[in-house]
Amino acid sequence: MNYQLNAGKRSKWRHIVQNPFLYVMAVPGLLFFLVFSYLPIYGIMIAFKDYDFAKGITGSDWVGFRNFDYFFTSDDFWIILRNTLMLNVLFIVFTTAAAVLIALMFNEIRNKYFKRISQSLIFLPYFMSWIVIGMIVQSLFGGEEPMINVWLHNIGMEPVNWMFESKLWPYILTVIRVWQGAGYLSIIFLASITGIPEDLYEAARIDGASKLQIVTRITLPLLVPTIMIMTLLAVGKIFNGDFAMIYAIIGDNSMLYPTTDVIDTFVFRSMRQLHDFGMSSAVGLFQSIMGLIFVIAANWVTRRVSKESALF
Amino acid sequence: MRLKRWFGTATTAVLVSSLVLAGCGGNAKNEGNATNSPSSTDSAAPAAKDIVTLKAYFPGDKPAGFDTVLQAVNDKLKADNIGAALNVNFMPWSDYGNAVSVKMSAGEEFDMYLDAPWISMNQMIESKSLMELDAAVAARPELKASIPEEMWEYNKFGGKIMGVPLGTTQGQLYGLLIRKDLREKYGLPELKTLGDLEKFLYAVKENEKDVKPFVINGIKADKLPFILSDSANLAKDEVLEIGVNMFSYSIKDKKVIGQWVSPTIADAYERVTKYYKDGIISKNIAQEQNAETLFKQGKYAATYYAADGVEGLKYSEMLKDGSDKLEIFIPNGEQAKPYTAYQQWNFLCIPTTSKHSDTVMDVMNWLSIKENHDLMEYGIQGKDWEPVGDSSYKVLSSYTFPGYVLTWRPTLNRTPDNMMPDDKKWFDFSTKTSNFTLSPIAGFNFNAEKVKTEYAKITPLHDSIFLPLSQGLIPAEEGKKTMEDKMASLGGQKVVAEIQAQIDAVTAGK
């Protein structure tokens, strides 16, 4: 046992010595996370302090859990929590499903140029700022005569008062999210599909497997670990509403709050007058801890089902 | 192979982005107090002062042509032997508040910056980070005289001048911008009352196919009840704007009440409800953000106006064709004498860490002399602007200095010559202290520290219920009831009690 462990260690060192550049390339990324993610963790204490920038983070007075009060005792706490989770679940499920589908389809395209062009096109929305997307959505659904209503009218359907129908917006937002994010995710999946050994496919073809069989028996099962990793990473942020997205699209339209108000937009509105660091940090801490719990739980479930797909 | 290349690209991306982010860290440092050299060798004056470079932080984008103007300002400062040169740093609005706080707590030395109660001023004062300026102001006659007495008096913090109040108007006068051509088309007389306005709006609705009656940005609609009330712009027995959203102060009962239950503007809530139902107020109001553009495009017959010197100017391009198709309707305009606390929203503050506070105040005094004021605010005469009389100017370049960060003085203000006559009339009206009534609670500034939790809980009600109520979207009765219920369940009465206590403390001292 001990010997094996040592052997593992030694081979890891050898790996580093043999591939120094691979590790050098990782350094900026590691530094990035160290400086911007790990070091700032000490700021968590702001959540438990009556933060006063003049006294500094360590000098401010401790207030226990007082900063958490306002959020947890808000009337709309449960609604906002539900919205955040519901929207994120919709986003994760549909974006992943769409991305897998797109990746599988891309994998079947043989024409090199068509493949490249369509890949770029489907990737493009990911680089669009939410502000721009928000404006597109406004012109489609907003204004006195939304463009969508003109289209509906042209095909003989009743116009819809989009900006008042809060029930429709979780779906609209999901569509927008899939359009924006699925392309990016599909590239990651496609990369992982490319890594599946060619001889597996060859063997399948020799055995007379159909295209569909190859996809369902080889490609999909071998893609599952990547899907799981991407999903687990997304689950970690399940308590974080996408502020940039929701605020750019919904803005201050109170009629849509019942289904689209998420933790982040709610906190933004609560703090518009107060600018209290402590209270907003408290909510941020809550989101992170819940995210952590969810990741651990999801990983635990994954391990039960298939060990090699789990993150840790 | 492709996979490898892809990872290579990804790593490069991470590398580049981390470098970019690292670059953000200390951008202000390299422009710091570099030019402290006593460079007054060529000056013939007997006691030329050493020149101190004053570092200033202001929000917003750097105005076009600013460097040239700043050079001229610094040259003149030198010629006038003030002993100062300005090093002005503009920071984007989005991080201005945070950046200044951080610089302050990090102990960075700078000499002046814009602060305000809506940025971080109260916290700064509480932490003793700002210099008291009473003595310095008293010793500088031009500065003192360029700002009316009321403005000094009612913009103190804890009885002290903690920043030079920057402003032009002395209070808020509300009204509507009206398409005069349409009014005349329907043979309606000049609008004097809300009744006249109503006739006009309904006439537009019934007769115009492509022009709709009234547009206002959704977020601005909390001002609608102040405009559409019989008591608009008058000093009745209620102070409507006390500086805390959604609340007002009843003078008669000496009580803090919610604006939604205010008897003074109850008629206005009925009106907005009716106007929304009848399609006078745009159905789109909840998410309207383009009121300005839509009005400019001629799609609406009326929009929001405030006599603040900014709102009316937005529409001056509509008159470029030489027409006079716009006019301003101020409800109760003839008798207008609204309450004001003479409160200003922007302050030039000096951090206690600055070693040159006297020089900063000398510069502030220098900027209160018309010639110097005009140089900083309007640019180089003949190149950027040209005087038109004493209180107006012709714009020649695209130089626009945000006066509210440094140079606004009610007595020195010039209006651009493209300001429409109605706008100039009401703006000039607003800059005179005597056209307003002193609010009985002047001096009150809400400090939410003690009721933070409750205040944070009721703040979202402004957007979710109070605003739709003011927009007419939620009918008056229903909206008022919802507001009451929600306020009660969220602990609003604690906030009210705290506001009340703070107002009582202010009024007791009078």
Side-chain angles (χ1 to χ4, degrees):
Chain A
M1 188 69 197
N2 239 337
Y3 172 76
Q4 260 179 349
L5 239 171
N6 273 336
K9 241 183 195 168
R10 205 177 305 149
S11 78
K12 196 169 267 173
W13 274 114
R14 190 182 301 156
H15 193 253
I16 293 178
V17 171
Q18 279 170 349
N19 308 289
F21 291 109
L22 216 53
Y23 286 88
V24 169
M25 278 201 293
V27 167
L30 292 174
L31 265 179
F32 176 84
F33 283 113
L34 181 74
V35 173
F36 291 102
S37 296
Y38 285 95
L39 289 182
I41 283 182
Y42 88 100
I44 282 177
M45 67 171 100
I46 293 178
F48 304 98
K49 289 197 159 200
D50 184 6
Y51 177 62
D52 181 340
F53 56 83
K55 294 183 194 162
I57 293 178
T58 42
S60 296
D61 306 326
W62 294 97
V63 290
F65 283 88
R66 200 188 72 190
N67 286 332
F68 292 78
D69 280 358
Y70 100 91
F71 181 60
F72 290 101
T73 53
S74 280
D75 256 17
D76 298 332
F77 173 71
W78 291 108
I79 297 175
I80 286 153
L81 201 62
R82 182 205 66 193
N83 288 346
T84 312
L85 288 176
M86 179 183 69
L87 285 175
N88 277 327
V89 167
L90 282 173
F91 291 171
I92 294 172
V93 170
F94 283 96
T95 312
T96 309
V100 169
L101 208 64
I102 294 168
L104 291 177
M105 290 195 289
F106 269 136
N107 196 39
E108 298 301 323
I109 298 175
R110 290 290 159 253
N111 183 319
K112 202 165 77 183
Y113 298 103
F114 178 66
K115 189 173 180 174
R116 285 213 178 139
I117 290 170
S118 42
Q119 255 181 11
S120 308
L121 280 180
I122 212 151
F123 200 3
L124 203 63
Y126 183 74
F127 292 107
M128 262 195 218
S129 136
W130 281 114
I131 304 294
V132 175
I133 297 175
M135 285 168 130
I136 297 173
V137 174
Q138 278 297 323
S139 65
L140 284 176
F141 295 97
E144 296 240 330
E145 263 192 10
M147 212 180 295
I148 297 260
N149 278 357
V150 177
W151 296 342
L152 285 179
H153 180 79
N154 287 345
I155 56 168
M157 284 173 73
E158 285 295 302
V160 179
N161 206 343
W162 298 99
M163 289 301 171
F164 287 79
E165 295 292 336
S166 63
K167 273 190 239 105
L168 297 173
W169 279 85
Y171 307 108
I172 299 176
L173 289 176
T174 307
V175 171
I176 297 169
R177 183 51 172 239
V178 168
W179 170 79
Q180 191 258 0
Y184 172 73
L185 203 56
S186 75
I187 302 286
I188 295 178
F189 291 153
L190 192 60
S192 150
I193 291 175
T194 323
I196 298 172
E198 190 56 34
D199 37 355
L200 282 177
Y201 290 106
E202 219 167 282
R205 272 194 293 271
I206 289 167
D207 285 346
S210 72
K211 271 221 158 111
L212 192 68
Q213 278 174 324
I214 291 178
V215 166
T216 51
R217 301 286 167 83
I218 299 176
T219 316
L220 265 184
L222 288 173
L223 193 55
V224 164
T226 315
I227 297 176
M228 288 319 297
I229 287 171
M230 296 315 286
T231 309
L232 283 173
L233 288 177
V235 166
K237 288 190 177 159
I238 203 162
F239 275 82
N240 293 57
D242 189 338
F243 179 80
M245 171 188 186
I246 307 277
Y247 194 66
I249 293 173
I250 305 297
D252 298 308
N253 186 350
S254 55
M255 294 296 111
L256 303 182
Y257 288 163
T259 57
T260 61
D261 204 16
V262 293
I263 295 177
D264 299 71
T265 49
F266 178 79
V267 170
F268 168 70
R269 276 185 290 118
S270 311
M271 293 297 140
R272 258 185 187 175
Q273 312 281 331
L274 265 177
H275 312 290
D276 194 277
F277 281 56
M279 289 187 188
S280 30
S281 307
V283 177
L285 181 60
F286 163 73
Q287 290 175 311
S288 309
I289 289 179
M290 291 309 284
L292 182 67
I293 293 174
F294 268 56
V295 167
I296 291 172
N299 191 64
W300 181 80
V301 173
T302 316
R303 274 177 77 98
R304 287 274 141 138
V305 182
S306 115
K307 213 163 184 180
E308 56 275 20
S309 304
L311 207 51
F312 46 86
Chain B
M1 187 59 215
R2 274 188 45 211
L3 193 64
K4 225 178 194 174
R5 202 188 304 152
W6 188 82
F7 271 119
T9 329
T11 324
T12 319
V14 170
L15 177 69
V16 168
S17 64
S18 66
L19 284 176
V20 167
L21 282 166
C24 293
N27 56 358
K29 286 260 156 68
N30 25 17
E31 318 164 26
N33 296 343
T35 46
N36 271 15
S37 56
S39 58
S40 46
T41 40
D42 57 344
S43 162
K49 290 182 187 166
D50 282 355
I51 291 184
V52 179
T53 300
L54 303 173
K55 189 172 184 184
Y57 283 112
F58 296 133
D61 297 327
K62 190 158 103 173
F66 181 70
D67 292 333
T68 323
V69 175
L70 186 64
Q71 189 54 51
V73 167
N74 283 338
D75 289 347
K76 191 152 193 305
L77 277 169
K78 192 172 166 192
D80 293 350
N81 198 20
I82 303 297
L86 295 178
N87 166 18
V88 177
N89 301 282
F90 283 95
M91 286 192 281
W93 267 114
S94 50
D95 19 87
Y96 181 74
N98 284 340
V100 166
S101 302
V102 170
K103 281 174 192 303
M104 200 73 116
S105 55
E108 184 185 323
E109 267 183 48
F110 55 103
D111 304 296
M112 57 176 123
Y113 77 109
L114 176 86
D115 208 339
W118 51 272
I119 305 179
S120 58
M121 194 158 173
N122 291 324
Q123 296 92 311
M124 293 286 187
I125 291 170
E126 206 159 312
S127 59
K128 306 208 172 9
S129 311
L130 298 184
M131 205 89 89
E132 287 174 27
L133 304 175
D134 291 81
V137 170
R140 286 169 178 80
E142 278 93 359
L143 173 63
K144 197 164 174 1
S146 68
I147 291 174
E149 199 42 52
E150 288 88 345
M151 235 170 109
W152 288 117
E153 183 59 33
Y154 295 105
N155 287 292
K156 291 182 175 172
F157 293 77
K160 306 230 163 57
I161 299 174
M162 301 307 293
V164 177
L166 302 166
T168 48
T169 55
Q170 302 301 325
Q172 246 339 340
L173 206 60
Y174 292 115
L176 298 177
L177 188 61
I178 302 287
R179 282 278 297 279
K180 188 181 177 186
D181 54 335
L182 289 176
R183 171 178 67 76
E184 285 169 346
K185 185 172 158 191
Y186 300 115
L188 294 168
E190 198 183 326
L191 307 186
K192 293 269 182 220
T193 64
L194 286 178
D196 298 343
L197 172 74
E198 194 163 306
K199 266 187 222 137
F200 169 69
L201 294 174
Y202 279 85
V204 170
K205 181 181 187 297
E206 272 145 39
N207 299 305
E208 288 291 328
K209 215 164 68 62
D210 299 322
V211 185
K212 296 194 172 100
F214 177 65
V215 68
I216 186 172
N217 279 342
I219 197 93
K220 270 271 162 67
D222 55 348
K223 304 283 186 272
L224 262 187
F226 304 154
I227 304 171
L228 297 176
S229 162
D230 290 328
S231 61
N233 297 318
L234 298 179
K236 288 274 179 75
D237 40 349
E238 193 178 321
V239 184
L240 287 168
E241 289 180 281
I242 60 172
V244 191
N245 273 342
M246 306 187 277
F247 295 101
S248 65
Y249 180 74
S250 159
I251 299 169
K252 225 171 41 190
D253 308 332
K254 300 197 180 332
K255 265 208 153 63
V256 175
I257 54 172
Q259 275 173 14
W260 62 95
V261 289
S262 148
T264 317
I265 51 171
D267 62 323
Y269 285 108
E270 298 300 330
R271 254 183 214 113
V272 288
T273 308
K274 173 164 175 275
Y275 287 0
Y276 180 77
K277 212 176 89 224
D278 292 352
I280 296 296
I281 294 175
S282 147
K283 286 278 175 225
N284 198 27
I285 189 165
Q287 45 116 23
E288 188 56 75
Q289 305 170 17
N290 300 316
E292 191 186 325
T293 316
L294 291 168
F295 186 78
K296 277 186 198 159
Q297 290 171 344
K299 291 185 175 156
Y300 287 88
T303 190
Y304 167 82
Y305 170 79
D308 53 11
V310 177
E311 203 60 39
L313 276 176
K314 290 180 185 167
Y315 303 94
S316 57
E317 67 185 67
M318 291 178 77
L319 302 175
K320 269 193 183 143
D321 54 4
S323 70
D324 64 338
K325 60 180 173 220
L326 297 181
E327 63 184 6
I328 286 159
F329 165 57
I330 302 283
N332 298 317
E334 317 266 278
Q335 312 99 290
K337 208 172 190 303
Y339 279 122
T340 184
Y342 295 110
Q343 204 163 22
Q344 294 303 334
W345 305 108
N346 303 295
F347 294 84
L348 192 280
C349 297
I350 307 180
T352 38
T353 48
S354 164
K355 296 196 177 75
H356 313 296
S357 62
D358 272 337
T359 322
V360 173
M361 291 307 283
D362 287 343
V363 171
M364 285 309 277
N365 193 51
W366 182 83
L367 283 170
S368 309
I369 298 165
K370 196 164 181 78
E371 183 189 357
N372 307 328
H373 165 269
D374 289 352
L375 173 61
M376 185 88 231
E377 186 158 337
Y378 311 120
I380 296 161
Q381 192 172 336
K383 181 171 160 271
D384 296 314
W385 67 288
E386 211 165 70
V388 178
D390 229 18
S391 67
S392 195
Y393 72 104
K394 188 176 169 55
V395 184
L396 298 179
S397 75
S398 58
Y399 177 74
T400 40
F401 182 74
Y404 56 84
V405 304
L406 186 67
T407 52
W408 267 5
R409 306 283 189 276
T411 51
L412 302 179
N413 202 54
R414 289 177 188 269
T415 52
D417 66 340
N418 61 351
M419 194 179 225
M420 65 183 110
D422 268 10
D423 193 14
K424 182 158 174 62
K425 172 183 157 195
W426 291 115
F427 177 64
D428 286 346
F429 179 97
S430 299
T431 57
K432 303 208 168 48
T433 48
S434 55
N435 289 328
F436 292 86
T437 311
L438 174 64
S439 156
I441 59 162
F444 159 73
N445 272 310
F446 185 48
N447 180 349
E449 200 56 33
K450 277 194 204 148
V451 286
K452 261 198 320 203
T453 303
E454 289 74 18
Y455 193 52
K457 277 162 73 174
I458 62 164
T459 305
L461 290 182
H462 178 268
D463 294 12
S464 63
I465 299 160
F466 185 75
L467 209 48
L469 167 68
S470 312
Q471 294 164 338
L473 245 150
I474 304 182
E477 280 315 303
E478 185 193 329
K480 288 175 182 185
K481 194 174 170 307
T482 321
M483 277 304 285
E484 285 290 287
D485 295 350
K486 286 268 180 184
M487 276 287 170
S489 76
L490 292 174
Q493 62 283 3
K494 263 185 98 170
V495 179
V496 171
E498 180 63 24
I499 302 173
Q500 182 80 52
Q502 291 183 22
I503 287 182
D504 289 348
V506 169
T507 49
K510 282 187 176 162

